[in-house]
Amino acid sequence: MERIEKKVIIDPYRGGEDIGSNIHGIIEKNYNLDLSKYIYKRLKDLNIKTYLTRDKDDTLSIDDRVKKIQSTYGKENNVIV
């Protein structure tokens, strides 16, 4: 059986103009980005092909997110989002 190499795409969502929730000073977009960067680094350390849809405080539409994912890894069934 052939082993298919998986590719992981991490999408912090929110960002830029979309801050999400703000509870007790914790802003969702910042928390999502920090957590996503941590997961990204850990997966990279494990030599797993990984990609972030954003790595700074950007506003991305759903269409822009999909375009970034498809332009980087395509539409194959070995892409995990």
Side-chain angles (χ1 to χ4, degrees):
M1 178 181 228
E2 182 183 341
R3 183 173 180 206
I4 298 173
E5 182 181 28
K6 299 294 183 187
K7 302 166 188 171
V8 178
I9 298 172
I10 302 167
D11 182 14
Y13 202 63
R14 306 286 182 216
E17 297 169 1
D18 182 2
I19 69 164
S21 296
N22 181 356
I23 301 172
H24 304 295
I26 298 172
I27 299 172
E28 183 179 359
K29 70 175 184 175
N30 297 337
Y31 189 78
N32 286 349
L33 184 57
D34 289 345
L35 181 59
S36 295
K37 284 179 172 180
Y38 173 81
I39 294 168
Y40 173 82
K41 183 183 179 320
R42 288 293 299 133
L43 292 175
K44 284 291 199 183
D45 290 346
L46 296 170
N47 294 316
I48 296 172
K49 287 190 176 184
T50 307
Y51 176 77
L52 278 169
T53 56
R54 69 180 184 92
D55 61 0
K56 56 186 182 282
D57 190 19
D58 291 332
T59 300
L60 291 175
S61 69
I62 300 273
D63 289 340
D64 288 340
R65 289 172 197 282
V66 171
K67 285 176 188 172
K68 283 184 93 168
I69 291 167
Q70 291 177 345
S71 69
T72 302
Y73 286 133
K75 301 178 183 179
E76 294 87 26
N77 64 356
N78 63 332
V79 177
I80 301 168
V81 181

